[in-house]
């Protein structure tokens, strides 16, 4: 529930928001809305950062060789680290 989450964050930060403000923030925080403004907010890389919003879409962009290179780099940099544990490296980054 996006609106409830926004309300909780606002309360945590000590802000008081009206229902209208929460609706505006909610509308601007959806994936389609962020994608539409990605060029303005993230420059030339924006459209590449906000693609489909689907898990596994990277397979449409990476070749098998590129995927293997990324796996090796992740292994080199993350395997056995606290960050790797937080990212659940063993579960999600090993193919």
């Amino acid at each position: 529930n996006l609106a409830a989450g926004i309300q909780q964050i606002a309360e945590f930060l000590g802000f008081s928001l009206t229902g209208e403000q929460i609706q505006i923030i909610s509308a601007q925080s959806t994936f389609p809305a962020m994608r539409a403004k990605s060029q303005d907010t993230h420059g030339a890389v924006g459209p590449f950062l906000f693609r489909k919003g689907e898990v596994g879409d990277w397979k449409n962009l990476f070749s098998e060789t590129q995927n293997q290179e990324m796996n090796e780099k992740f292994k080199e940099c993350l395997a056995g680290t606290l960050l790797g544990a937080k990212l659940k490296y063993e579960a999600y980054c090993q193919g």
Side-chain angles (χ1 to χ4, degrees), residues 47-67:
F48 298 101
L49 294 175
F50 294 89
R51 294 185 319 273
K52 293 180 183 177
E54 296 174 0
V55 174
D57 185 47
W58 63 269
K59 294 175 185 176
N60 296 319
L61 299 171
F62 278 63
S63 68
E64 185 59 37
T65 301
Q66 290 170 321
N67 182 45

Side-chain angles (χ1 to χ4, degrees), residues 4 14 21 24 26 28-31 38-39 42 48 53-54 56 58 61 65-66 69 76 78 80-81 94-95:
Q21 289 171 318
I24 291 169
S26 294
Q28 293 174 349
S29 299
T30 64
F31 185 84
S38 65
Q39 184 94 26
H42 293 79
F48 298 101
E54 296 174 0
W58 63 269
L61 299 171
T65 301
Q66 290 170 321
E69 289 173 8
E76 174 188 327
L78 293 177
T81 67
Q94 288 187 317

Side-chain angles (χ1 to χ4, degrees), residues 21 36 46 74 85 93:
Q21 289 171 318
F74 273 106
C93 298

Side-chain angles (χ1 to χ4, degrees), residues 17 20 27 29 35 54 68 89:
L17 298 175
E20 182 181 353
S29 299
R35 183 179 184 190
E54 296 174 0
Q68 289 173 354
Y89 173 84

Side-chain angles (χ1 to χ4, degrees), residues 73-85:
K73 194 62 171 174
F74 273 106
K75 184 176 180 180
E76 174 188 327
C77 296
L78 293 177
T81 67
L82 292 175
L83 178 58

